[in-house]
C-alpha cells in the first residue's frame, strides 16, 4: 500500500490513516471528505529542514509551496516546523498572515500580481517578492517609493531546462508564462533594470523547472546554470547575488509505478554541485531555498467518498459513481492524473474488479480514474482515493453548485476539522 507510514488496515479490514478508521471518519464527518495526516506532514517538513542542516550547514531554508494546500492550520504547522512559506496570491498571503505566519519568512510569487497585491505585500512586510516581468518591477519600485519602503526582491529566471513532466506543468523552458529567459538576454536586462530602481533591493534569483519530477539531475543542471548566471551578473554589473531559490517540483507516489526519490537526497546532491560550482567560479556560497509543496502534503492526504450507483455496461465497462468528482478532484480531467483507489471498508481484500470511477457532475468527463482495479464495490461502500493531499482541495470548485468538502486532520488516532464543510447557504452568500 502507498504511504505505509500513514496508511494501514485494522482488524475489521478497514483502511486507516493516522490511526483513524476511515469508515468511521466518513460516518462521523460525511463525504466527500479530505483527510490529512499531521504526523506525515510534519515528518516531511522535518526531512527537508534537516537536509539543509546535514548537507548545507543550515545555510538555507525550505519554503512550503502553499498553493499545494492552503488553509490556516497548515500555515500554523509549517510555521511550527520553522519552514518559510511560498504564496502566489493575495488570498494565500492573507491566509498565512491570518494564521500568524511571520511575514519576513514569506516569498510572494506570481506572474501577474495586481497593484493591490503588491501594495498588500509591501504593507505586510513580506520578506521576498519574486519579480516575474519588467512591468511588475516598475510597479514594485513605484509602489515602494510611494509607501516609503524598499522591497527585497528575487528575479524569476527561466533556465531553459526541460523536465520530463506533463506539458502543462513544465515551467523552466523558454516558452513559459513565468519569468525572464536566459537565452534571449531578458534575464540580464531584468537584473540591470532592478539595479536602476532606487526602491528595490535585488537579493537573489529564482527558478522552477516543473512539477512531479522523479530525477535529481534536472535540479543539478538548474543549479549549475543559475550559478553561472550569478557569476556573469557579478562580472558584468558588480552585483553580488547572495541568494538562490531552485524551486520545487519533487515527485510523489500516486501509484505503484511512481518511484520518487527520498526528499533529503535532493539537498544532498544539489549541495555538492553548488559547492563545487561556486569553488570553480570563485563565488561565495549562496543562501539556498527549495520550494516543496506537493511532496510535503500530497501523500499525507486521502479523499473519502460514498459509493452510489454501480452501473455495469456489458462488454464495455463498469461505472462506480461517487458523491464527489471533478469539483473536489479536477486533476484527472485536467491532466489524466493517475491515482490509487480502494474500497475502504474492504481494504484487506484483493482488488478484483476493473472499473471506471465516475463523479456526480453533469459532465461526461467527470471521472476520477478509468480502468482501475478496486475491491468489489457496492452502493453504500466507502471509497478512498490516495495521495490527494496536494492540489485537490486547492483546485476544488462549486461547479454544479456543489459545496466543497470538509478537511479533517488526523493525528495519533484523533481527528479534528480544520476546514468546515460548505453549506448551501455558503453557496448563495454573495448572491444578490
Amino acid at each position: 500500500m502507498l504511504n505505509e507510514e500513514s496508511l494501514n488496515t485494522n482488524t475489521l479490514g478497514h483502511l486507516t490513516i493516522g490511526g483513524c478508521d476511515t469508515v468511521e471518519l466518513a460516518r462521523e464527518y460525511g463525504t466527500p471528505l479530505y483527510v490529512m495526516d499531521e504526523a506525515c506532514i510534519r515528518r516531511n517538513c522535518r526531512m527537508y529542514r534537516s537536509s539543509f542542516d546535514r548537507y548545507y550547514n543550515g545555510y538555507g531554508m525550505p519554503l512550503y509551496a502553499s498553493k499545494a494546500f492552503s488553509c490556516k492550520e497548515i500555515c500554523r504547522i509549517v510555521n511550527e516546523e520553522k519552514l518559510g512559506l511560498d504564496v502566489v496570491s493575495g488570498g494565500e498571503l492573507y491566509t498565512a498572515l491570518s494564521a500568524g505566519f511571520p511575514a519576513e519568512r514569506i516569498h510572494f510569487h506570481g506572474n501577474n500580481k495586481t497593484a493591490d497585491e503588491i501594495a498588500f505585500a509591501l504593507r505586510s512586510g513580506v520578506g521576498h517578492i519574486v519579480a516575474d516581468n519588467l512591468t511588475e518591477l516598475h510597479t514594485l519600485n513605484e509602489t515602494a517609493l510611494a509607501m516609503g519602503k524598499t522591497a527585497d526582491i528575487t528575479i524569476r529566471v527561466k533556465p531553459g531546462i526541460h523536465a520530463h513532466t506533463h506539458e502543462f506543468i513544465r515551467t523552466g523552458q523558454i516558452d513559459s508564462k513565468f519569468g525572464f529567459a536566459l537565452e534571449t538576454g531578458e534575464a540580464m536586462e531584468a537584473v540591470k533594470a532592478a539595479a536602476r530602481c532606487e526602491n528595490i533591493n535585488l537579493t537573489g534569483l529564482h527558478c522552477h523547472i516543473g512539477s512531479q519530477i522523479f530525477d535529481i539531475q534536472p535540479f543539478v543542471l538548474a543549479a549549475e546554470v543559475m550559478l553561472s548566471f550569478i557569476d556573469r551578473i557579478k562580472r558584468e554589473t558588480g552585483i553580488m547575488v547572495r541568494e538562490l531559490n531552485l524551486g520545487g517540483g519533487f515527485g510523489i507516489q500516486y501509484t505503484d509505478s511512481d518511484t520518487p526519490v527520498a526528499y533529503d537526497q535532493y539537498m544532498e546532491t544539489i549541495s555538492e554541485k553548488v559547492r563545487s560550482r561556486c569553488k570553480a567560479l570563485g563565488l561565495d556560497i549562496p543562501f539556498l531555498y527549495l520550494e516543496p509543496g506537493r511532496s510535503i502534503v500530497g501523500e499525507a492526504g486521502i479523499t473519502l467518498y460514498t459509493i452510489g450507483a454501480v452501473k455495469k455496461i456489458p462488454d464495455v465497462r463498469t461505472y462506480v459513481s461517487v458523491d464527489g468528482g471533478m469539483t473536489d478532484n479536477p486533476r484527472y480531467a485536467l491532466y489524466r492524473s493517475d491515482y490509487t483507489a480502494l474500497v475502504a471498508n474492504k481494504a484487506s481484500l484483493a482488488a478484483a474488479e476493473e472499473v471506471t470511477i465516475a463523479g456526480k457532475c453533469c459532465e461526461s468527463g467527470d471521472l476520477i480514474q478509468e480502468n482501475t482495479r478496486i475491491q468489489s464495490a457496492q452502493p453504500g461502500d466507502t471509497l478512498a482515493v490516495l495521495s490527494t493531499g496536494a492540489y485537490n482541495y486547492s483546485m476544488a470548485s462549486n461547479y454544479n453548485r456543489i459545496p466543497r468538502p470538509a478537511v479533517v486532520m488526523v493525528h495519533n488516532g484523533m481527528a479534528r476539522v480544520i476546514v468546515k464543510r460548505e453549506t448551501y447557504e455558503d453557496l448563495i452568500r454573495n448572491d444578490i
Side-chain angles (χ1 to χ4, degrees), residues 295-362:
S295 56
I296 286 179
V297 295
E299 292 184 43
I302 65 173
T303 307
L304 301 177
Y305 302 96
T306 298
I307 294 174
V310 177
K311 184 181 294 184
K312 297 186 178 183
I313 304 176
D315 302 319
V316 180
R317 71 171 81 196
T318 297
Y319 285 98
V320 172
S321 296
V322 297
D323 56 350
M326 65 189 295
T327 51
D328 58 78
N329 184 355
R331 294 187 67 253
Y332 188 79
L334 287 173
Y335 311 130
R336 288 295 184 264
S337 300
D338 288 331
Y339 284 99
T340 298
L342 67 153
V343 179
N345 51 299
K346 302 172 182 175
S348 60
L349 302 180
E353 293 190 355
E354 185 175 286
V355 304
T356 289
I357 302 170
K360 63 177 292 181
C361 289
C362 192

Side-chain angles (χ1 to χ4, degrees), residues 10 12 14-26 304 344-345 413:
N10 60 19
L12 298 174
H14 295 176
L15 177 70
T16 65
I17 179 171
C20 293
D21 187 321
T22 56
V23 179
E24 290 301 319
L25 290 174
L304 301 177
N345 51 299

Side-chain angles (χ1 to χ4, degrees), residues 107-108 122 126-133 136-137 140-141 150-156 180 190-191 193-195 197 199-206 241 243:
H107 292 227
F108 191 8
L122 290 171
V126 165
H128 291 73
I129 298 177
V130 184
D132 189 88
N133 53 74
E136 184 173 284
L137 268 178
L140 263 168
N141 188 56
T150 298
D152 287 339
I153 73 157
T154 301
I155 287 177
R156 180 160 182 168
F180 299 92
V191 169
C197 293
N199 289 77
I200 280 179
N201 177 34
L202 175 60
T203 64
L205 300 180
H206 169 277
V241 176
E243 300 176 346

Side-chain angles (χ1 to χ4, degrees), residues 99-115:
F101 200 94
E104 63 271 17
R105 296 213 315 267
I106 296 177
H107 292 227
F108 191 8
H109 285 265
N111 70 298
N112 192 31
K113 305 176 193 68
T114 67

